[in-house]
Amino acid sequence: MKAQIKWVDGAMFLAESGSGHTLVMDGPPEAGGRNLGVRPMETVLIGLGGCASYDVVSILQKARQDIRDVRTELEAERADTEPKVFTRIHLRFVVTGKGLKEAHVKRAVDLSAEKYCSASIMLGRAGVEITHDYQIVEID
């Protein structure tokens, strides 16, 4: 896997992934930015959410659960002093569907956390306290 980061100006950078996709990162005006993109640490949190969400959706689809929507809400705390690393991250999966079995949803969340989500496992090994929970929304 490769990526390239190019400085534009101020606190703005363009990130290009190895697959050819571009992401704008920028800082707030008080840090020399123009607030035109996500913050670099936000991209770490977003990456974790995307990794875990992919796992949960994939596992539930393989379990033939009739999922209609999966929303993952992340909340993170950072250290007060430099380096302002993540100290705690909580992921809440809101799974919407028909006839969903709680055991399948719990298993999907647990498997992502314990076995499949590389981002979550890597951050956990680095000392970040990572917690997960889920909510099931049943539709008719």
Side-chain angles (χ1 to χ4, degrees):
M1 185 177 294
K2 293 184 177 187
Q4 179 175 298
I5 313 299
K6 180 171 180 7
W7 177 53
V8 177
D9 66 11
M12 181 185 281
F13 297 84
L14 289 179
E16 184 177 337
S17 68
S19 59
H21 299 280
T22 303
L23 171 74
V24 176
M25 294 183 287
D26 197 10
E30 61 270 16
R34 293 179 288 169
N35 198 31
L36 297 174
V38 296
R39 308 293 187 265
M41 286 298 285
E42 289 174 328
T43 64
V44 174
L45 191 62
I46 290 167
L48 165 59
C51 182
S53 298
Y54 176 88
D55 292 338
V56 169
V57 167
S58 177
I59 293 164
L60 289 173
Q61 286 175 331
K62 288 175 184 168
R64 300 189 191 283
Q65 293 296 288
D66 187 1
I67 57 173
R68 303 296 174 93
D69 186 49
V70 175
R71 185 177 73 247
T72 308
E73 302 166 351
L74 293 94
E75 189 171 330
E77 293 176 10
R78 293 177 67 185
D80 293 329
T81 57
E82 299 293 339
K84 294 184 179 180
V85 298
F86 288 122
T87 56
R88 188 188 75 74
I89 300 172
H90 181 74
L91 294 87
R92 166 164 268 214
F93 298 90
V94 181
V95 182
T96 302
K98 293 179 88 172
L100 297 173
K101 294 187 173 129
E102 183 172 1
H104 285 296
V105 175
K106 180 181 184 325
R107 181 175 179 273
V109 170
D110 289 346
L111 281 172
S112 174
E114 297 165 9
K115 184 174 182 180
Y116 292 114
C117 182
S118 304
S120 176
I121 293 166
M122 177 181 64
L123 289 168
R125 287 181 183 171
V128 181
E129 177 190 341
I130 299 180
T131 56
H132 305 75
D133 70 4
Y134 59 88
Q135 174 186 352
I136 297 172
V137 178
E138 189 67 31
I139 58 172
D140 295 327

